[in-house]
Amino acid sequence: MKPPKAALGRGPKRSLEAYVAKRDFARTPEPTPEAKLKRKRAAKGAAAGLAFVVQRHAARRLHWDLRLELDGVLKSWAVTRGPSLVAGDKRLAVHTEDHPLEYLDFEGNIPKGEYGGGTMIVWDRGTWSPEGDPQAGLDKGHLAFALDGSRLKGKWHLVRMRPKRGEKTEPWLLIKSDDEFARPPGAPEITDEETSHLTGRTPGEVAAERALRKDHAARDAERGARKVALPDIGKIANARKKLLPTFVAPMLASPSEKPPRGPQWVHEIKHDGYRIQARIDGGKLQMLTRKNLDWTERFAAIATALEGLHLGSALIDGEIVVEEENGISTFNGLQADLSTGRQDRMRYHAFDLLYCDGFDLTRATLLARKSLLAQVLAALPAGSPVRFAEHLDTDGPTIFEHAGRLGLEGIISKRKDQPYRSGRSDDWVKSKCVAREEFVVLGYHPSSVAAGAVGALLLGYYEGGKLMYAGRVGTGWSGAEAQKLKQKLDEIAADKPMFGRPLPPGADIKGVRWAMPRLVADVQHRGWSADRVLRQSSFKGLREDKSADEVVLEEKPRAASAGKGAAPAHAGGAIAGVKLTHPDRLLWDEGVSKQALAEFYAEIADHILPHITGRVLSLVRAPSGAQAKSFFAKHRWAGLEHVREVDVGEKEPMIAIDDLAGLIGLVQGGTVEIHPWGSRDDDLERPDRLIFDLDPGEDVAWSDVIAAARAMRDELAAIGLESFVKTSGGKGLHVVVPVEPRVAWDDAKAFTQSIAEKMSRDHRDRYVAIMAKRARRGRIFIDYLRNGRGATAVAAFSTRARPYAPVSTPLAWEELTEGVRPDHFTVDNLRERLDFLRRDPWEGFFEVRQRIKT
């Protein structure tokens, strides 16, 4: 495709018409073309050969502008991710208007609202030499050339691409040749170097020039309103008196399979949200993304809370998350709240302080910065949505293992003696308990159950500049989100993308509606297949702070082993031989589909099956999905397979299962809770386990429920009985007592009643043993009625029909702390907990031999 002549025209005057038309030189400091448009050499060392410049341009999106002198002007390309020194690594370079030669020297701040508004520095300068006729190369769409700059050297190629349908820009690729100046794959990015070639200043220092202004009075007023005095910041080692920068590019953590250990490291919980820099300048406060986008309005509640710090000036680094009632942050919840404007659940975890009251702190040590940050945040009232991100300086692997058992995303380990350095660094290391990656959305399969919604997204990533297929994700969104995703993707519809390698044999692309690679999805998964396709993936939300062309994998895909992350094979789309109909039907509107639930149970089969097989089951079903009413089911229904019928003496037989196929059959029928009898189906009249359900009334603190469970354990231990504890997945806890099946149901119930009533008598202000709700206010109901014939309690490892699909989860007694709420573990995080367990929390449960005395 030959570009318009105006784009590559040889006459300087004609070439610069677009440059002049886009700018108001009364407002922007950019240079105007010389009246005579004569050839000008402004650069030092540019006297010999053609000049080139690369400018780092923090406009609406950060990019690097490559400009090559030719025919009296600078031919210009905006390189979105900056040049790469890795041979063959393709970087998108969008051809823009020609610039005057005076631009070789330009460094400064283009005002916000003007074309290209943002901070620009001269990042590299030097000379370039084309191979052959450069104008012919431009016309043809392939320009080969060599650069001799301070940072960029050697041979390069600019190759024009065919624009996508509806695309108005002219895309090229900038590619480094394989020569002595090339770096190996995985080497640090040259763009991590951010100082100016001309002056050695950082982008923040250049941006700060426009901060030489008249608002010191406002800063002084804010400082005077502060109630908690700050220490003398000037006495902090390496604190420097400087202007407040407009932005500091964030320091990023390098990925690692295992966290570091040693006294020089501290460790923080890895949060699941948006990285945000809070910039305080007198009475003005901004919330800036990692790409320097102003999201103050989107996080207005947090900004308002930060105003309570009454700081004259500051830059705070942190993460904004949405925390569910169980205390776990969820990116999906944050996305949902941003789309609706809800802000009451948002929390800002502040973990670093880069600037405070006239002092640049980036050269101070991490511990010095965090110590000052803690003092800064001390001025906020209790209940503020702004939190200080605490750190631990104990053994990293131990903290990592504990985070995994709690189902958290991971930890960030930081060198406590190091400064703050923009860009990715080995001084910060992230270790993930959960496999999470960002992928480009390539298209979608329409939903099989809801018109106007996606049923699955097709995913990809870039490798060596080429687009690679990564598989699909079919769960993780609500019904409303599924419709919004379809709308977004339909707006950027496209032909089938060009993949960098053949699709794997099992790739399901029939009926796919393709889209341009514009959207970035955050996806949790359980590893990769041998064909480099994602396994058991779950959508967490769209990343609005990243562009699609940045999406590369942090770690090379490795097929899941037979250990961690492995699960039974799903032949022909079936699980354990059971074919799911409408697998994308949502059983929980927060994003858990029938397929996701079946995969969850298949993977934890060894844990749940011993608690439900060979027992009569009562079930909670929601076959029409989360928005329909659920109901109890005790008898076989049409289409239910892989179950047995058990005569319990009622009009109709009840059901039992013996294997995973039976469990998946229940899922196929929309089962969302499983409640087994306390006896086995071959000995129905004598229970082999007893359950005390600790059900808190209104105004009962979670710490009191924990104390009640421990008191129950001690009460039982006093009469020689060992007990086990699990979360209910609802509001309380279950204390479970395995027993030999020796006594009948009535005797078992009478025994449990006696324990409950004794505790109630001993502590009338804490416990109650009667069902009346009026008696439960402020107290805990010890429900012993679960131990009658036909009565049931939710099974260990069963899901609950409550928001976010919580799971009733066995705990070791030492794990019972306020950090683990009754709905803490869910379909989303339980498998990670099981991965990190060194031993079964209920170890010995099935081997305990004990009897009750009646």
Side-chain angles (χ1 to χ4, degrees), residues 438-588:
E438 289 154 359
F439 294 94
V440 183
V441 181
L442 306 176
Y444 69 93
H445 284 285
S447 171
S448 67
V449 294
V454 301
L457 299 177
L458 274 75
L459 306 172
Y461 59 92
Y462 286 99
E463 185 177 276
K466 295 181 179 180
L467 194 58
M468 303 296 175
Y469 177 73
R472 46 181 274 166
V473 58
T475 191
W477 44 71
S478 68
E481 288 171 329
Q483 292 178 335
K484 290 179 181 178
L485 284 169
K486 181 181 182 302
Q487 293 171 3
K488 286 178 179 286
L489 290 167
D490 284 346
E491 290 172 0
I492 54 174
D495 297 331
K496 179 180 176 181
M498 295 295 293
F499 290 106
R501 64 168 175 264
L503 297 183
D508 180 12
I509 61 171
K510 184 178 180 181
V512 169
R513 298 182 184 178
W514 300 100
M516 289 186 281
R518 299 275 180 82
L519 302 183
V520 178
D522 188 346
V523 176
Q524 181 174 317
H525 61 88
R526 295 288 292 168
W528 298 81
S529 72
D531 292 328
R532 295 180 70 174
V533 171
L534 290 172
R535 298 177 58 259
Q536 299 180 36
S537 53
S538 177
F539 176 80
K540 297 301 171 188
L542 294 178
R543 301 288 324 193
E544 298 178 71
D545 57 345
K546 272 200 170 183
S547 57
D549 56 11
E550 294 180 81
V551 176
V552 294
L553 296 185
E554 289 188 342
E555 297 180 11
K556 186 177 179 181
R558 291 179 296 177
S561 66
K564 179 177 177 180
H570 307 333
I575 299 179
V578 179
K579 181 74 174 179
L580 299 177
T581 59
H582 301 301
D584 59 336
R585 184 184 298 282
L586 291 181
L587 298 181
W588 284 265

Side-chain angles (χ1 to χ4, degrees), residues 225-442:
R226 184 178 171 85
K227 296 180 180 179
V228 180
L230 290 176
D232 186 348
I233 302 175
K235 292 183 178 180
I236 296 176
N238 296 318
R240 298 175 297 167
K241 192 74 175 176
K242 292 188 69 174
L243 293 171
L244 173 67
T246 56
F247 180 70
V248 173
M251 187 169 179
L252 305 174
S254 299
S256 175
E257 287 191 13
K258 296 180 180 179
R261 61 188 347 145
Q264 71 271 37
W265 295 92
V266 295
H267 313 276
E268 300 170 357
I269 295 299
K270 188 178 188 301
H271 294 291
D272 189 10
Y274 273 125
R275 181 83 172 269
I276 294 294
Q277 189 175 115
R279 184 178 190 274
I280 302 172
D281 187 4
K284 184 179 179 182
L285 197 143
Q286 291 177 288
M287 308 299 288
L288 306 172
T289 71
R290 59 189 293 174
K291 293 295 184 181
N292 198 18
L293 301 178
D294 190 338
W295 282 11
T296 309
E297 290 186 9
R298 306 186 79 180
F299 300 127
I302 301 296
T304 299
L306 286 166
E307 289 173 355
L309 293 174
H310 295 295
L311 291 172
S313 55
L315 277 176
I316 301 173
D317 198 359
E319 187 111 354
I320 291 185
V321 304
V322 158
E323 293 179 352
E324 303 297 346
E325 292 183 5
N326 60 9
I328 296 179
S329 61
T330 160
F331 186 69
N332 219 333
L334 177 57
Q335 287 285 313
D337 284 8
L338 284 172
S339 67
T340 61
R342 179 179 178 181
Q343 298 194 17
D344 60 290
R345 300 192 301 170
M346 293 182 184
R347 303 291 181 265
Y348 184 44
H349 291 270
F351 51 71
D352 216 324
L353 184 62
L354 315 184
Y355 186 96
C356 187
D357 270 359
F359 286 90
D360 176 3
L361 300 168
T362 56
R363 293 188 182 180
T365 66
L366 173 70
L367 285 192
R369 300 193 308 268
K370 291 202 70 173
S371 176
L372 179 58
L373 177 61
Q375 296 175 74
V376 165
L377 299 182
L380 294 174
S384 171
V386 179
R387 312 283 175 79
F388 175 66
E390 299 283 356
H391 59 263
L392 299 171
D393 58 3
T394 52
D395 181 61
T398 300
I399 296 172
F400 181 61
E401 182 180 313
H402 183 66
R405 290 201 305 269
L406 290 176
L408 302 178
E409 185 183 353
I411 65 173
I412 302 287
S413 304
K414 301 178 179 179
R415 282 284 300 267
K416 60 186 180 184
D417 57 343
Q418 292 300 304
Y420 190 98
R421 298 185 179 95
S422 296
R424 204 164 298 282
S425 170
D426 290 335
D427 291 336
W428 286 15
V429 174
K430 58 182 175 183
S431 308
K432 296 181 182 179
C433 305
V434 179
R436 290 275 290 269
E437 289 279 1
E438 289 154 359
F439 294 94
V440 183
V441 181
L442 306 176

Side-chain angles (χ1 to χ4, degrees), residues 756-799:
E757 290 178 344
K758 179 180 184 301
M759 291 183 65
S760 177
R761 288 194 306 271
D762 292 347
H763 303 280
R764 295 184 184 277
D765 59 330
R766 301 181 195 172
Y767 312 124
V768 62
I770 59 176
M771 289 189 65
K773 287 190 176 181
R774 64 179 182 277
R776 288 196 239 173
R777 183 180 294 275
R779 294 189 285 180
I780 297 169
F781 173 41
I782 303 176
D783 185 357
Y784 64 87
L785 301 173
R786 306 284 181 178
N787 301 293
R789 187 183 190 276
T792 61
V794 70
F797 299 105
S798 167
T799 54

Side-chain angles (χ1 to χ4, degrees), residues 10-47:
R10 291 171 171 78
K13 184 174 182 180
R14 183 178 181 184
S15 294
L16 295 176
E17 287 176 352
Y19 172 85
V20 173
K22 290 180 177 181
R23 289 161 175 81
D24 180 354
F25 294 103
R27 292 180 54 82
T28 180
E30 294 169 276
T32 57
E34 289 192 343
K36 296 182 180 179
L37 293 168
K38 63 183 179 182
R39 180 179 178 85
K40 179 180 179 181
R41 296 305 186 123
K44 294 180 180 179

Side-chain angles (χ1 to χ4, degrees), residues 688-812:
D688 65 346
R689 62 182 61 181
L690 307 175
I691 293 182
F692 295 91
D693 182 359
L694 305 181
D695 186 4
E698 295 180 19
D699 304 323
V700 175
W702 175 236
S703 58
D704 292 336
V705 183
I706 293 173
R710 291 172 176 159
M712 174 66 73
R713 176 193 59 184
D714 295 344
E715 196 74 39
L716 293 165
I719 56 176
L721 293 177
E722 184 178 0
S723 59
F724 299 79
V725 66
K726 68 184 178 75
T727 65
S728 68
K731 296 187 299 178
L733 292 168
H734 290 171
V735 177
V736 185
V737 185
V739 296
E740 293 186 41
R742 298 281 184 171
V743 302
W745 279 109
D746 287 346
D747 291 334
K749 182 178 179 181
F751 169 77
T752 56
Q753 181 178 0
S754 68
I755 298 293
E757 290 178 344
K758 179 180 184 301
M759 291 183 65
S760 177
R761 288 194 306 271
D762 292 347
H763 303 280
R764 295 184 184 277
D765 59 330
R766 301 181 195 172
Y767 312 124
V768 62
I770 59 176
M771 289 189 65
K773 287 190 176 181
R774 64 179 182 277
R776 288 196 239 173
R777 183 180 294 275
R779 294 189 285 180
I780 297 169
F781 173 41
I782 303 176
D783 185 357
Y784 64 87
L785 301 173
R786 306 284 181 178
N787 301 293
R789 187 183 190 276
T792 61
V794 70
F797 299 105
S798 167
T799 54
R800 300 298 307 271
R802 292 173 175 268
Y804 297 99
V807 178
S808 180
T809 303
L811 302 175

